[in-house]
PDB file of all heavy atoms in Angstrom:
ATOM      1  N   ALA F   1     -14.435  -1.777 -23.528  1.00 97.00           N
ATOM      2  CA  ALA F   1     -14.744  -2.861 -24.454  1.00 97.00           C
ATOM      3  C   ALA F   1     -16.164  -3.327 -24.352  1.00 97.00           C
ATOM      4  O   ALA F   1     -16.804  -3.776 -25.349  1.00 97.00           O
ATOM      5  CB  ALA F   1     -13.793  -4.061 -24.290  1.00 97.00           C
ATOM      6  N   GLY F   2     -16.739  -3.288 -23.113  1.00 96.00           N
ATOM      7  CA  GLY F   2     -18.082  -3.744 -22.939  1.00 96.00           C
ATOM      8  C   GLY F   2     -19.179  -2.765 -23.239  1.00 96.00           C
ATOM      9  O   GLY F   2     -20.261  -3.094 -23.669  1.00 96.00           O
ATOM     10  N   ILE F   3     -18.846  -1.434 -22.988  1.00 98.00           N
ATOM     11  CA  ILE F   3     -19.928  -0.450 -23.146  1.00 98.00           C
ATOM     12  C   ILE F   3     -19.626   0.604 -24.219  1.00 98.00           C
ATOM     13  O   ILE F   3     -20.464   1.383 -24.534  1.00 98.00           O
ATOM     14  CB  ILE F   3     -20.148   0.262 -21.853  1.00 98.00           C
ATOM     15  CG1 ILE F   3     -18.924   1.064 -21.371  1.00 98.00           C
ATOM     16  CG2 ILE F   3     -20.570  -0.711 -20.718  1.00 98.00           C
ATOM     17  CD1 ILE F   3     -19.119   1.907 -20.086  1.00 98.00           C
ATOM     18  N   GLY F   4     -18.430   0.572 -24.742  1.00 98.00           N
ATOM     19  CA  GLY F   4     -17.997   1.586 -25.768  1.00 98.00           C
ATOM     20  C   GLY F   4     -17.736   2.952 -25.108  1.00 98.00           C
ATOM     21  O   GLY F   4     -18.131   3.184 -23.965  1.00 98.00           O
ATOM     22  N   ILE F   5     -17.144   3.839 -25.871  1.00 98.00           N
ATOM     23  CA  ILE F   5     -16.821   5.146 -25.381  1.00 98.00           C
ATOM     24  C   ILE F   5     -18.110   5.908 -25.113  1.00 98.00           C
ATOM     25  O   ILE F   5     -18.157   6.770 -24.206  1.00 98.00           O
ATOM     26  CB  ILE F   5     -15.861   5.870 -26.320  1.00 98.00           C
ATOM     27  CG1 ILE F   5     -15.222   7.068 -25.637  1.00 98.00           C
ATOM     28  CG2 ILE F   5     -16.569   6.267 -27.623  1.00 98.00           C
ATOM     29  CD1 ILE F   5     -14.220   6.675 -24.526  1.00 98.00           C
ATOM     30  N   ASP F   6     -19.138   5.709 -25.901  1.00 98.00           N
ATOM     31  CA  ASP F   6     -20.400   6.388 -25.650  1.00 98.00           C
ATOM     32  C   ASP F   6     -21.010   5.948 -24.343  1.00 98.00           C
ATOM     33  O   ASP F   6     -21.644   6.746 -23.615  1.00 98.00           O
ATOM     34  CB  ASP F   6     -21.389   6.090 -26.823  1.00 98.00           C
ATOM     35  CG  ASP F   6     -21.014   6.732 -28.107  1.00 98.00           C
ATOM     36  OD1 ASP F   6     -20.196   7.719 -28.059  1.00 98.00           O
ATOM     37  OD2 ASP F   6     -21.470   6.307 -29.182  1.00 98.00           O
ATOM     38  N   GLY F   7     -20.880   4.679 -23.968  1.00 98.00           N
ATOM     39  CA  GLY F   7     -21.347   4.196 -22.670  1.00 98.00           C
ATOM     40  C   GLY F   7     -20.510   4.818 -21.546  1.00 98.00           C
ATOM     41  O   GLY F   7     -21.112   5.157 -20.498  1.00 98.00           O
ATOM     42  N   LEU F   8     -19.246   4.996 -21.743  1.00 98.00           N
ATOM     43  CA  LEU F   8     -18.421   5.611 -20.695  1.00 98.00           C
ATOM     44  C   LEU F   8     -18.877   7.052 -20.489  1.00 98.00           C
ATOM     45  O   LEU F   8     -18.768   7.522 -19.313  1.00 98.00           O
ATOM     46  CB  LEU F   8     -16.958   5.502 -21.045  1.00 98.00           C
ATOM     47  CG  LEU F   8     -15.990   5.899 -19.927  1.00 98.00           C
ATOM     48  CD1 LEU F   8     -16.037   4.855 -18.808  1.00 98.00           C
ATOM     49  CD2 LEU F   8     -14.574   6.070 -20.437  1.00 98.00           C
ATOM     50  N   ASP F   9     -19.362   7.692 -21.499  1.00 98.00           N
ATOM     51  CA  ASP F   9     -19.781   9.067 -21.445  1.00 98.00           C
ATOM     52  C   ASP F   9     -21.074   9.190 -20.549  1.00 98.00           C
ATOM     53  O   ASP F   9     -21.338  10.271 -20.017  1.00 98.00           O
ATOM     54  CB  ASP F   9     -20.141   9.510 -22.824  1.00 98.00           C
ATOM     55  CG  ASP F   9     -20.268  11.114 -22.908  1.00 98.00           C
ATOM     56  OD1 ASP F   9     -19.605  11.753 -22.123  1.00 98.00           O
ATOM     57  OD2 ASP F   9     -20.924  11.570 -23.834  1.00 98.00           O
ATOM     58  N   LYS F  10     -21.719   8.074 -20.278  1.00 98.00           N
ATOM     59  CA  LYS F  10     -22.885   8.030 -19.404  1.00 98.00           C
ATOM     60  C   LYS F  10     -22.585   7.431 -18.028  1.00 98.00           C
ATOM     61  O   LYS F  10     -23.496   7.087 -17.315  1.00 98.00           O
ATOM     62  CB  LYS F  10     -24.030   7.260 -20.082  1.00 98.00           C
ATOM     63  CG  LYS F  10     -24.442   7.880 -21.397  1.00 98.00           C
ATOM     64  CD  LYS F  10     -25.407   6.939 -22.123  1.00 98.00           C
ATOM     65  CE  LYS F  10     -25.750   7.477 -23.543  1.00 98.00           C
ATOM     66  NZ  LYS F  10     -26.582   6.511 -24.321  1.00 98.00           N
ATOM     67  N   SER F  11     -21.314   7.233 -17.764  1.00 98.00           N
ATOM     68  CA  SER F  11     -20.860   6.583 -16.557  1.00 98.00           C
ATOM     69  C   SER F  11     -20.059   7.501 -15.701  1.00 98.00           C
ATOM     70  O   SER F  11     -19.734   8.659 -16.058  1.00 98.00           O
ATOM     71  CB  SER F  11     -20.005   5.350 -16.926  1.00 98.00           C
ATOM     72  OG  SER F  11     -20.656   4.478 -17.824  1.00 98.00           O
ATOM     73  N   VAL F  12     -19.737   7.061 -14.490  1.00 98.00           N
ATOM     74  CA  VAL F  12     -18.780   7.718 -13.599  1.00 98.00           C
ATOM     75  C   VAL F  12     -17.644   6.739 -13.284  1.00 98.00           C
ATOM     76  O   VAL F  12     -17.907   5.526 -13.161  1.00 98.00           O
ATOM     77  CB  VAL F  12     -19.553   8.090 -12.304  1.00 98.00           C
ATOM     78  CG1 VAL F  12     -18.563   8.587 -11.206  1.00 98.00           C
ATOM     79  CG2 VAL F  12     -20.661   9.124 -12.517  1.00 98.00           C
ATOM     80  N   VAL F  13     -16.503   7.261 -13.226  1.00 98.00           N
ATOM     81  CA  VAL F  13     -15.300   6.433 -12.912  1.00 98.00           C
ATOM     82  C   VAL F  13     -14.829   6.855 -11.475  1.00 98.00           C
ATOM     83  O   VAL F  13     -14.713   8.013 -11.205  1.00 98.00           O
ATOM     84  CB  VAL F  13     -14.192   6.598 -13.931  1.00 98.00           C
ATOM     85  CG1 VAL F  13     -12.942   5.891 -13.446  1.00 98.00           C
ATOM     86  CG2 VAL F  13     -14.596   6.004 -15.280  1.00 98.00           C
ATOM     87  N   ALA F  14     -14.574   5.837 -10.691  1.00 98.00           N
ATOM     88  CA  ALA F  14     -14.021   6.097  -9.326  1.00 98.00           C
ATOM     89  C   ALA F  14     -12.665   5.393  -9.200  1.00 98.00           C
ATOM     90  O   ALA F  14     -12.529   4.152  -9.385  1.00 98.00           O
ATOM     91  CB  ALA F  14     -14.949   5.554  -8.225  1.00 98.00           C
ATOM     92  N   TYR F  15     -11.603   6.175  -8.936  1.00 97.00           N
ATOM     93  CA  TYR F  15     -10.304   5.682  -8.634  1.00 97.00           C
ATOM     94  C   TYR F  15     -10.186   5.383  -7.176  1.00 97.00           C
ATOM     95  O   TYR F  15     -10.301   6.323  -6.403  1.00 97.00           O
ATOM     96  CB  TYR F  15      -9.173   6.616  -9.091  1.00 97.00           C
ATOM     97  CG  TYR F  15      -7.830   6.220  -8.533  1.00 97.00           C
ATOM     98  CD1 TYR F  15      -7.265   4.957  -8.835  1.00 97.00           C
ATOM     99  CD2 TYR F  15      -7.087   7.096  -7.783  1.00 97.00           C
ATOM    100  CE1 TYR F  15      -6.075   4.580  -8.337  1.00 97.00           C
ATOM    101  CE2 TYR F  15      -5.862   6.740  -7.303  1.00 97.00           C
ATOM    102  CZ  TYR F  15      -5.332   5.529  -7.567  1.00 97.00           C
ATOM    103  OH  TYR F  15      -4.113   5.179  -7.038  1.00 97.00           O
ATOM    104  N   GLU F  16      -9.995   4.180  -6.809  1.00 94.00           N
ATOM    105  CA  GLU F  16      -9.850   3.774  -5.428  1.00 94.00           C
ATOM    106  C   GLU F  16      -8.629   2.920  -5.206  1.00 94.00           C
ATOM    107  O   GLU F  16      -8.716   1.721  -5.469  1.00 94.00           O
ATOM    108  CB  GLU F  16     -11.119   3.079  -4.950  1.00 94.00           C
ATOM    109  CG  GLU F  16     -11.702   2.097  -5.949  1.00 94.00           C
ATOM    110  CD  GLU F  16     -12.558   0.984  -5.285  1.00 94.00           C
ATOM    111  OE1 GLU F  16     -13.174   1.279  -4.259  1.00 94.00           O
ATOM    112  OE2 GLU F  16     -12.556  -0.141  -5.775  1.00 94.00           O
ATOM    113  N   PRO F  17      -7.548   3.514  -4.773  1.00 93.00           N
ATOM    114  CA  PRO F  17      -6.369   2.693  -4.492  1.00 93.00           C
ATOM    115  C   PRO F  17      -6.719   1.659  -3.395  1.00 93.00           C
ATOM    116  O   PRO F  17      -7.107   2.087  -2.324  1.00 93.00           O
ATOM    117  CB  PRO F  17      -5.314   3.707  -4.040  1.00 93.00           C
ATOM    118  CG  PRO F  17      -6.089   4.938  -3.633  1.00 93.00           C
ATOM    119  CD  PRO F  17      -7.304   4.945  -4.477  1.00 93.00           C
ATOM    120  N   VAL F  18      -6.489   0.404  -3.696  1.00 89.00           N
ATOM    121  CA  VAL F  18      -6.923  -0.632  -2.758  1.00 89.00           C
ATOM    122  C   VAL F  18      -6.216  -0.491  -1.402  1.00 89.00           C
ATOM    123  O   VAL F  18      -6.845  -0.728  -0.378  1.00 89.00           O
ATOM    124  CB  VAL F  18      -6.656  -2.052  -3.379  1.00 89.00           C
ATOM    125  CG1 VAL F  18      -7.069  -3.109  -2.394  1.00 89.00           C
ATOM    126  CG2 VAL F  18      -7.395  -2.161  -4.635  1.00 89.00           C
ATOM    127  N   TRP F  19      -5.024  -0.037  -1.418  1.00 84.00           N
ATOM    128  CA  TRP F  19      -4.212   0.176  -0.207  1.00 84.00           C
ATOM    129  C   TRP F  19      -4.741   1.238   0.704  1.00 84.00           C
ATOM    130  O   TRP F  19      -4.332   1.369   1.877  1.00 84.00           O
ATOM    131  CB  TRP F  19      -2.762   0.344  -0.522  1.00 84.00           C
ATOM    132  CG  TRP F  19      -2.514   1.444  -1.534  1.00 84.00           C
ATOM    133  CD1 TRP F  19      -2.475   1.251  -2.941  1.00 84.00           C
ATOM    134  CD2 TRP F  19      -2.303   2.826  -1.310  1.00 84.00           C
ATOM    135  NE1 TRP F  19      -2.297   2.487  -3.531  1.00 84.00           N
ATOM    136  CE2 TRP F  19      -2.156   3.460  -2.527  1.00 84.00           C
ATOM    137  CE3 TRP F  19      -2.258   3.580  -0.166  1.00 84.00           C
ATOM    138  CZ2 TRP F  19      -1.920   4.813  -2.713  1.00 84.00           C
ATOM    139  CZ3 TRP F  19      -1.997   4.949  -0.308  1.00 84.00           C
ATOM    140  CH2 TRP F  19      -1.825   5.549  -1.594  1.00 84.00           C
ATOM    141  N   ALA F  20      -5.688   2.113   0.209  1.00 79.00           N
ATOM    142  CA  ALA F  20      -6.183   3.197   0.977  1.00 79.00           C
ATOM    143  C   ALA F  20      -7.672   3.015   1.422  1.00 79.00           C
ATOM    144  O   ALA F  20      -8.296   3.914   1.853  1.00 79.00           O
ATOM    145  CB  ALA F  20      -6.000   4.542   0.231  1.00 79.00           C
ATOM    146  N   ILE F  21      -8.236   1.830   1.201  1.00 74.00           N
ATOM    147  CA  ILE F  21      -9.623   1.606   1.440  1.00 74.00           C
ATOM    148  C   ILE F  21      -9.803   0.894   2.815  1.00 74.00           C
ATOM    149  O   ILE F  21      -9.348  -0.171   3.025  1.00 74.00           O
ATOM    150  CB  ILE F  21     -10.315   0.700   0.364  1.00 74.00           C
ATOM    151  CG1 ILE F  21     -10.240   1.422  -0.962  1.00 74.00           C
ATOM    152  CG2 ILE F  21     -11.756   0.371   0.692  1.00 74.00           C
ATOM    153  CD1 ILE F  21     -10.654   0.527  -2.181  1.00 74.00           C
ATOM    154  N   GLY F  22     -10.404   1.651   3.749  1.00 71.00           N
ATOM    155  CA  GLY F  22     -10.657   1.092   5.028  1.00 71.00           C
ATOM    156  C   GLY F  22      -9.384   0.995   5.946  1.00 71.00           C
ATOM    157  O   GLY F  22      -9.429   0.376   6.979  1.00 71.00           O
ATOM    158  N   THR F  23      -8.270   1.512   5.452  1.00 72.00           N
ATOM    159  CA  THR F  23      -7.022   1.399   6.167  1.00 72.00           C
ATOM    160  C   THR F  23      -6.676   2.663   6.985  1.00 72.00           C
ATOM    161  O   THR F  23      -5.761   2.650   7.802  1.00 72.00           O
ATOM    162  CB  THR F  23      -5.886   1.098   5.167  1.00 72.00           C
ATOM    163  OG1 THR F  23      -5.703   2.216   4.337  1.00 72.00           O
ATOM    164  CG2 THR F  23      -6.154  -0.133   4.381  1.00 72.00           C
ATOM    165  N   GLY F  24      -7.326   3.723   6.652  1.00 72.00           N
ATOM    166  CA  GLY F  24      -7.022   5.018   7.248  1.00 72.00           C
ATOM    167  C   GLY F  24      -5.907   5.745   6.421  1.00 72.00           C
ATOM    168  O   GLY F  24      -5.645   6.882   6.641  1.00 72.00           O
ATOM    169  N   LYS F  25      -5.300   4.998   5.524  1.00 73.00           N
ATOM    170  CA  LYS F  25      -4.294   5.616   4.624  1.00 73.00           C
ATOM    171  C   LYS F  25      -5.016   6.295   3.440  1.00 73.00           C
ATOM    172  O   LYS F  25      -6.101   5.808   3.012  1.00 73.00           O
ATOM    173  CB  LYS F  25      -3.344   4.578   4.078  1.00 73.00           C
ATOM    174  CG  LYS F  25      -2.482   3.872   5.124  1.00 73.00           C
ATOM    175  CD  LYS F  25      -1.576   2.879   4.475  1.00 73.00           C
ATOM    176  CE  LYS F  25      -0.756   2.154   5.540  1.00 73.00           C
ATOM    177  NZ  LYS F  25       0.121   1.090   4.896  1.00 73.00           N
ATOM    178  N   THR F  26      -4.464   7.398   3.013  1.00 73.00           N
ATOM    179  CA  THR F  26      -5.068   8.084   1.882  1.00 73.00           C
ATOM    180  C   THR F  26      -3.982   8.495   0.898  1.00 73.00           C
ATOM    181  O   THR F  26      -2.878   8.886   1.348  1.00 73.00           O
ATOM    182  CB  THR F  26      -5.749   9.332   2.347  1.00 73.00           C
ATOM    183  OG1 THR F  26      -6.624   9.052   3.393  1.00 73.00           O
ATOM    184  CG2 THR F  26      -6.531  10.051   1.210  1.00 73.00           C
ATOM    185  N   ALA F  27      -4.231   8.352  -0.438  1.00 84.00           N
ATOM    186  CA  ALA F  27      -3.303   8.850  -1.341  1.00 84.00           C
ATOM    187  C   ALA F  27      -3.246  10.401  -1.173  1.00 84.00           C
ATOM    188  O   ALA F  27      -4.224  11.030  -0.834  1.00 84.00           O
ATOM    189  CB  ALA F  27      -3.724   8.535  -2.775  1.00 84.00           C
ATOM    190  N   SER F  28      -2.043  10.931  -1.243  1.00 92.00           N
ATOM    191  CA  SER F  28      -1.932  12.382  -1.151  1.00 92.00           C
ATOM    192  C   SER F  28      -2.765  13.029  -2.282  1.00 92.00           C
ATOM    193  O   SER F  28      -2.964  12.377  -3.344  1.00 92.00           O
ATOM    194  CB  SER F  28      -0.493  12.849  -1.180  1.00 92.00           C
ATOM    195  OG  SER F  28       0.021  12.736  -2.569  1.00 92.00           O
ATOM    196  N   PRO F  29      -3.154  14.298  -2.155  1.00 95.00           N
ATOM    197  CA  PRO F  29      -3.839  14.960  -3.267  1.00 95.00           C
ATOM    198  C   PRO F  29      -3.064  14.852  -4.567  1.00 95.00           C
ATOM    199  O   PRO F  29      -3.659  14.540  -5.633  1.00 95.00           O
ATOM    200  CB  PRO F  29      -4.032  16.361  -2.797  1.00 95.00           C
ATOM    201  CG  PRO F  29      -4.112  16.233  -1.301  1.00 95.00           C
ATOM    202  CD  PRO F  29      -3.149  15.139  -0.942  1.00 95.00           C
ATOM    203  N   ASP F  30      -1.695  15.003  -4.535  1.00 96.00           N
ATOM    204  CA  ASP F  30      -0.965  14.958  -5.772  1.00 96.00           C
ATOM    205  C   ASP F  30      -0.904  13.510  -6.324  1.00 96.00           C
ATOM    206  O   ASP F  30      -0.982  13.346  -7.553  1.00 96.00           O
ATOM    207  CB  ASP F  30       0.472  15.437  -5.480  1.00 96.00           C
ATOM    208  CG  ASP F  30       0.523  16.965  -5.241  1.00 96.00           C
ATOM    209  OD1 ASP F  30      -0.369  17.641  -5.763  1.00 96.00           O
ATOM    210  OD2 ASP F  30       1.508  17.427  -4.609  1.00 96.00           O
ATOM    211  N   GLU F  31      -0.835  12.513  -5.426  1.00 94.00           N
ATOM    212  CA  GLU F  31      -0.799  11.126  -5.936  1.00 94.00           C
ATOM    213  C   GLU F  31      -2.149  10.735  -6.559  1.00 94.00           C
ATOM    214  O   GLU F  31      -2.227  10.148  -7.626  1.00 94.00           O
ATOM    215  CB  GLU F  31      -0.537  10.208  -4.726  1.00 94.00           C
ATOM    216  CG  GLU F  31       0.880  10.211  -4.193  1.00 94.00           C
ATOM    217  CD  GLU F  31       1.048   9.394  -2.944  1.00 94.00           C
ATOM    218  OE1 GLU F  31       0.058   9.279  -2.099  1.00 94.00           O
ATOM    219  OE2 GLU F  31       2.123   8.776  -2.753  1.00 94.00           O
ATOM    220  N   ALA F  32      -3.207  11.180  -5.910  1.00 96.00           N
ATOM    221  CA  ALA F  32      -4.561  10.886  -6.490  1.00 96.00           C
ATOM    222  C   ALA F  32      -4.753  11.629  -7.776  1.00 96.00           C
ATOM    223  O   ALA F  32      -5.246  11.054  -8.766  1.00 96.00           O
ATOM    224  CB  ALA F  32      -5.655  11.296  -5.513  1.00 96.00           C
ATOM    225  N   GLN F  33      -4.309  12.898  -7.889  1.00 97.00           N
ATOM    226  CA  GLN F  33      -4.481  13.657  -9.052  1.00 97.00           C
ATOM    227  C   GLN F  33      -3.672  13.023 -10.199  1.00 97.00           C
ATOM    228  O   GLN F  33      -4.202  13.083 -11.360  1.00 97.00           O
ATOM    229  CB  GLN F  33      -3.976  15.128  -8.818  1.00 97.00           C
ATOM    230  CG  GLN F  33      -3.715  15.975 -10.023  1.00 97.00           C
ATOM    231  CD  GLN F  33      -4.866  16.145 -10.978  1.00 97.00           C
ATOM    232  OE1 GLN F  33      -6.038  15.985 -10.532  1.00 97.00           O
ATOM    233  NE2 GLN F  33      -4.621  16.596 -12.199  1.00 97.00           N
ATOM    234  N   ALA F  34      -2.534  12.530  -9.938  1.00 97.00           N
ATOM    235  CA  ALA F  34      -1.720  12.015 -11.009  1.00 97.00           C
ATOM    236  C   ALA F  34      -2.446  10.837 -11.667  1.00 97.00           C
ATOM    237  O   ALA F  34      -2.378  10.687 -12.892  1.00 97.00           O
ATOM    238  CB  ALA F  34      -0.371  11.467 -10.420  1.00 97.00           C
TER     239      ALA F  34
END
């Protein structure tokens, strides 16, 4: 809504499950891929 789809085309998206940040826990490859 802020940058438009054209703006997203010039961006990078990072999925970071909060429960796996700095905890030592990691989403499984399949969970992350989903």
Side-chain angles (χ1 to χ4, degrees):
I3 65 177
I5 197 68
D6 290 340
L8 193 67
D9 198 24
K10 301 171 185 174
S11 306
V12 170
V13 171
Y15 167 58
E16 41 155 32
V18 179
W19 49 272
I21 298 171
T23 64
K25 298 180 180 179
T26 309
S28 72
D30 287 338
E31 287 173 328
Q33 164 61 19

